[in-house]
Amino acid sequence: MAVNGACFFAASFPTTVRCCAKPSSSGKFKPNPAVANTIRRFAVSTEESITTETTTDFVEDGRLKKKVVEGEKMNPYVLELEKTELEYKSSRKGLNDYFEESRNFIKSSGGGVGGPPRWFSPLDCGSRLDNSPLLLYLPVKDRTSFLGPLLSCPVTSACIHNCVTDIKFCIPGWISLCIYVEGSFHGSGLVKLVERTVRSENHRSPSKPIYLVGESLGACLALAVAARNPDIDLVLVLVNPATCFEKSRLQRLMPLLEIMPTQHQFGLPYILSLMTGDPLKMVIDNARKGVPLLEIVEGLSQDAVVIPSNLNVLAALLPRETLLWKLNMLKVASKFANSHLHAVKAQTLVLSSGRDQLLPSEEEGQRLNRVLPKCQNRSYSGSGHFLLLEDVFDLATLIKGSAFYRRGAHQDYVSDYVPPTPLEFRQIYEPNRLFLLAISSVMLSTLEDGKIVRGLAGIPSEGPVLFVGYHMLMGFELAPMVSNFLLERNIFLRGLAHPVLFIRTKKERLLPPLSEFDTFRAMGAVPVSGTNLYKLLASKAHVLLYPGGGREASHRKGEQYKLFWPEQSEFVRMAARFGAKIVPFGVVGEDDFGEVVFDYDDQMRIPFLRDYIEAVTDELGVRVRTEEDGEVGNQNMHRLGILPKFPGRFYYYFGKPIETEGRRHELRDREKAHELYLQIKSEVEKCIGFLKEKRETDPYRNILARLSYQATNGSTSQVPTFDI
């Protein structure tokens, strides 16, 4: 079996080796930092009752041109990418909306008066996925403030509710619950309150995990609950945890607040400066997205007016007594959580801001990553304390991309996978528009009658389908391939990938952090194994398979377009068991994009680099294709030295699907299976040869010729290619 590359959209460790394993015998744009996403996102279904279908062309800036076919279904991913920034902006709330919600909350019976500690949810009810787990959000609210410093700001509450709403619609059945706490309630009581709820839910569903999302003080609370309940399957998501309170500058506030007159709102201007974010950063981010300057200025001006006009609301939210009460609670909670870290066995994800002005969150995330046994850390270097308000953060996407979403005791990368929503795909696609524009991919497919057509019309719509082909240098072919399948045919490609994308047997030292591969997991990558291939084909998925694996993706100098397939017919009998269609394909263009100048053989001649490669491979702790000899079995982790070239063009050719339906008994014979295996390999080589020959006649192979054509014929025009 092979694996697909780990390079769907650029990563800083792009030369990660994709290796293979033998199958088993069973064969968001925001106008200001206080904007939250209020769009209900949904898991994509091909059964959407929409009346039109779109095919797409990549045009200027990598955006899309819609071609509508009446009476067919419309691809929701295309619709999302066609939204203008104004449409994107109009669907989101601003500061004024949240101030109004805060005002209404204070006046409400639940928000304006006291009462016993209790849970509540501001979310609408939604449908459930089967066996979906429970999520509890712990910001901790009190009688006098909707949300306060270090626990959240007034806007963050609505922001996180919208984030969890996203999760609910992406992963229906997740429930966002918040704690409403009387001002005199003590930290130990909070722990017991959450603990009772956790134990009750675990008793009802002992086989499902319970998620605790804790922000600042809430993170201390989540750690305390996990330490006291090591026998319960908890998953912790800690946002800028206040376990580092003793090291923060907030300690200086406590004596000042104790002597400060009540009429002086000492903390208010400081909290406002944190809440409104960095205006310069906002301007730069919006300019990169193509937002007109007048709109950027208008948005900043509106926020500047909204805040002073709502000072009375903020004064009610952040009184001095509340600040002092919370700071004292933070001090106690931080000590309690730190003294019990040794007992925390739960799977933990720590989210750290690099520009947190209240807490040294980045250093604390690194410390917790070292101390906790099942911990991963995600660092947001440009974000402030209120991470949930930042445009770079999306809770639903993060939980899915970090492979933290599961419905049972163990991760099942096939059944637990939730596809990205159109909005999530937009956030992945937009930063890579220039790359997709530069390579201007040409995709060819073969119809049932053998006719070659431009586009993906020849790709089978119904699974299971197994795509088998050549793995380009560093996996550069994956970004345009996966995105075009999704945009043109609404098909998700599930690729079998190297274990380096998913696991670490030791704490990270030499290998790149797992966070660099979140996008790949979000787009459907699955750890390579015979079991996972079996599950994918059984679920009628479109599976992407590279028999050459990492050896092809990290090939040596002068080895471009050379196949390194194993001798065994690894996948044929598995495909025949489910009657899967096998689609051989070839791709060329890497030699127009970069040239290998410092390869594996060069590095192994240098002693310290050889030691480094061996140490990296040992740190991974997982060896694949150990049963193979020669080049195919050489899957050591290493980086390549590549000299970039002036971008050429990528060409894809998908051959005629090979049927295995009804051949299950025939292909049980190893010789018959091996004959089909060699036929598939030959078809891949023919596809590569065809493209290498035809691209020589492409008048638009050079990027300057393509740009010139679009300048003459319009930015929405599809650039021609060779005659088919």
Side-chain angles (χ1 to χ4, degrees):
M1 180 189 311
V3 324
N4 82 344
C7 293
F8 181 86
F9 300 146
S12 62
F13 195 76
T15 54
T16 300
V17 177
R18 293 90 172 146
C19 301
C20 313
K22 191 174 182 178
S24 63
S25 57
S26 60
K28 52 194 131 155
F29 168 75
K30 300 183 180 181
N32 57 62
V35 173
N37 179 13
T38 61
I39 303 173
R40 289 190 175 186
R41 302 190 292 173
F42 50 92
V44 175
S45 171
T46 56
E47 302 303 317
E48 285 289 332
S49 56
I50 307 176
T51 59
T52 57
E53 179 183 21
T54 61
T55 57
T56 59
D57 297 331
F58 289 95
V59 296
E60 187 177 16
D61 293 332
R63 297 193 181 276
L64 301 170
K65 174 186 177 182
K66 178 174 67 174
K67 298 179 180 179
V68 180
V69 181
E70 294 298 331
E72 301 295 338
K73 300 171 185 176
M74 183 168 288
N75 189 331
Y77 293 94
V78 176
L79 291 177
E80 182 64 37
L81 287 180
E82 287 178 338
K83 285 183 180 179
T84 65
E85 293 297 340
L86 283 177
E87 292 172 329
Y88 199 31
K89 175 181 177 181
S90 63
S91 63
R92 296 174 174 273
K93 291 185 179 181
L95 272 176
N96 198 50
D97 299 307
Y98 289 121
F99 280 124
E100 185 63 30
E101 291 180 6
S102 300
R103 186 182 293 109
N104 294 335
F105 181 85
I106 294 172
K107 295 177 181 178
S108 67
S109 59
V113 299
R118 57 197 183 273
W119 295 92
F120 75 92
S121 174
L123 304 177
D124 298 329
C125 294
S127 60
R128 283 179 157 302
L129 286 178
D130 292 338
N131 300 317
S132 54
L134 175 72
L135 182 146
L136 306 177
Y137 172 55
L138 312 175
V140 186
K141 301 177 183 181
D142 61 83
R143 178 178 62 85
T144 56
S145 70
F146 187 31
L147 282 174
L150 285 174
L151 308 181
S152 288
C153 71
V155 183
T156 308
S157 177
C159 183
I160 184 60
H161 294 163
N162 281 313
C163 281
V164 180
T165 303
D166 292 340
I167 294 178
K168 186 177 71 167
F169 284 101
C170 288
I171 310 173
W174 284 43
I175 303 173
S176 170
L177 295 173
C178 304
I179 300 177
Y180 180 86
V181 184
E182 188 72 38
S184 61
F185 201 67
H186 297 295
S188 60
L190 286 177
V191 174
K192 293 178 180 178
L193 173 65
V194 179
E195 197 171 49
R196 285 197 302 269
T197 304
V198 165
R199 289 178 176 176
S200 174
E201 292 295 328
N202 181 69
H203 179 73
R204 289 201 304 170
S205 303
S207 62
K208 293 190 295 186
I210 298 174
Y211 286 71
L212 299 180
V213 178
E215 184 185 7
S216 201
L217 172 59
C220 296
L221 180 58
L223 286 168
V225 172
R228 289 162 59 97
N229 298 272
D231 56 326
I232 296 179
D233 186 8
L234 296 175
V235 179
L236 310 183
V237 181
L238 312 179
V239 184
N240 291 328
T243 47
C244 56
F245 179 75
E246 293 293 334
K247 303 176 184 177
S248 75
R249 64 182 70 177
L250 287 167
Q251 296 252 48
R252 303 176 221 162
L253 276 180
M254 297 180 68
L256 291 175
L257 286 173
E258 290 173 352
I259 63 174
M260 184 68 61
T262 305
Q263 62 269 27
H264 295 293
Q265 293 291 341
F266 175 80
L268 187 57
Y270 188 52
I271 299 303
L272 280 177
S273 68
L274 297 172
M275 190 174 72
T276 55
D278 184 355
L280 179 59
K281 181 185 177 186
M282 294 162 53
V283 171
I284 294 174
D285 290 344
N286 289 340
R288 287 174 177 172
K289 295 177 180 179
V291 181
L293 181 59
L294 289 178
E295 293 178 23
I296 298 175
V297 175
E298 180 183 359
L300 293 175
S301 301
Q302 289 175 352
D303 290 344
V305 173
V306 166
I307 293 173
S309 63
N310 287 277
L311 284 177
N312 59 328
V313 180
L314 290 170
L317 298 176
L318 304 174
R320 186 198 67 172
E321 294 81 3
T322 298
L323 283 173
L324 188 58
W325 172 80
K326 289 181 177 177
L327 291 174
N328 280 313
M329 179 179 279
L330 279 170
K331 185 175 181 179
V332 174
S334 176
K335 289 183 178 179
F336 183 87
N338 280 310
S339 65
H340 291 78
L341 286 179
H342 64 280
V344 177
K345 308 301 180 185
Q347 185 181 10
T348 306
L349 180 64
V350 181
L351 312 179
S352 306
S353 295
R355 295 187 179 181
D356 191 340
Q357 300 181 50
L358 295 180
L359 298 170
S361 296
E362 195 165 38
E363 294 81 359
E364 183 64 9
Q366 296 171 358
R367 183 181 77 92
L368 292 176
N369 187 42
R370 293 190 301 268
V371 172
L372 300 177
K374 299 179 182 178
C375 184
Q376 291 186 35
N377 183 37
R378 298 292 186 275
S379 180
Y380 297 84
S381 58
S383 299
H385 180 71
F386 300 130
L387 178 60
L388 302 180
L389 299 176
E390 299 284 348
D391 191 31
V392 298
F393 181 84
D394 184 283
L395 185 58
T397 307
L398 176 70
I399 291 176
K400 293 190 293 183
S402 59
F404 265 63
Y405 177 67
R406 53 186 172 90
R407 298 185 180 95
H410 303 286
Q411 183 85 44
D412 188 325
Y413 290 97
V414 177
S415 63
D416 288 339
Y417 177 67
V418 180
T421 65
L423 179 58
E424 288 172 329
F425 177 72
R426 176 192 179 110
Q427 293 169 340
I428 294 172
Y429 175 86
E430 289 293 337
N432 296 275
R433 287 186 291 111
L434 292 179
F435 171 72
L436 296 174
L437 176 66
I439 60 176
S440 188
S441 302
V442 175
M443 296 205 172
L444 309 176
S445 60
T446 309
L447 302 178
E448 291 184 359
D449 59 4
K451 181 181 179 181
I452 301 174
V453 296
R454 184 169 184 181
L456 300 175
I459 301 300
S461 300
E462 300 296 328
V465 181
L466 187 61
F467 296 89
V468 182
Y470 168 71
H471 208 357
M472 186 183 283
L473 179 68
M474 296 174 63
F476 278 135
E477 82 280 4
L478 286 168
M481 183 176 173
V482 173
S483 59
N484 272 275
F485 266 74
L486 191 54
L487 293 170
E488 186 172 337
R489 296 296 307 276
N490 200 10
I491 291 175
F492 273 97
L493 290 179
R494 303 297 307 276
L496 292 159
H498 193 283
V500 74
L501 274 71
F502 302 91
I503 61 174
R504 296 288 188 274
T505 58
K506 302 178 181 179
K507 288 294 182 180
E508 296 166 357
R509 295 176 300 164
L510 302 175
L511 288 169
L514 282 172
S515 59
E516 294 191 6
F517 306 116
D518 285 355
T519 297
F520 315 139
R521 294 187 291 268
M523 292 303 298
V526 176
V528 58
S529 73
T531 300
N532 283 336
L533 178 59
Y534 180 94
K535 291 179 180 179
L536 288 170
L537 294 176
S539 65
K540 299 186 182 301
H542 289 70
V543 186
L544 182 58
L545 185 72
Y546 291 107
R551 182 58 182 85
E552 285 179 359
S554 299
H555 62 242
R556 318 295 189 250
K557 289 180 286 188
E559 291 181 347
Q560 56 265 34
Y561 312 127
K562 183 178 179 180
L563 300 184
F564 291 91
W565 288 23
E567 292 298 326
Q568 294 84 358
S569 52
E570 297 176 321
F571 55 84
V572 172
R573 287 186 294 168
M574 185 82 77
R577 177 168 186 164
F578 296 96
K581 298 179 178 68
I582 301 177
V583 180
F585 72 92
V587 54
V588 302
E590 68 179 57
D591 51 345
D592 285 338
F593 202 84
E595 181 178 358
V596 178
V597 295
F598 192 55
D599 62 14
Y600 175 81
D601 294 335
D602 295 329
Q603 296 175 42
M604 291 300 287
R605 297 188 188 101
I606 303 175
F608 79 90
L609 287 179
R610 181 175 63 248
D611 294 342
Y612 174 82
I613 291 172
E614 292 173 353
V616 168
T617 304
D618 179 67
E619 182 178 321
L620 176 60
V622 178
R623 302 298 294 265
V624 291
R625 273 193 170 160
T626 55
E627 78 284 358
E628 296 288 345
D629 297 324
E631 292 295 334
V632 177
N634 184 2
Q635 302 283 351
N636 289 338
M637 308 294 296
H638 66 284
R639 298 174 182 267
L640 288 175
I642 298 176
L643 182 65
K645 293 183 179 180
F646 208 63
R649 200 173 194 182
F650 283 9
Y651 303 86
Y652 299 76
Y653 176 28
F654 297 90
K656 185 177 180 180
I658 299 173
E659 295 281 354
T660 64
E661 184 72 37
R663 302 181 63 184
R664 178 177 179 179
H665 295 290
E666 173 193 351
L667 294 175
R668 282 182 177 176
D669 183 272
R670 290 187 177 274
E671 291 186 4
K672 294 288 186 180
H674 191 66
E675 288 178 8
L676 182 56
Y677 178 77
L678 294 179
Q679 177 189 342
I680 295 169
K681 182 178 180 180
S682 176
E683 289 295 323
V684 173
E685 292 173 333
K686 289 179 181 178
C687 290
I688 295 174
F690 174 83
L691 292 174
K692 290 173 67 177
E693 178 183 352
K694 297 295 288 186
R695 71 171 175 174
E696 298 297 332
T697 63
D698 184 0
Y700 300 99
R701 181 178 175 183
N702 188 281
I703 188 174
L704 295 179
R706 297 195 296 274
L707 294 176
S708 176
Y709 180 89
Q710 289 187 323
T712 304
N713 296 275
S715 59
T716 61
S717 59
Q718 185 183 63
V719 180
T721 185
F722 49 76
D723 294 330
I724 300 175

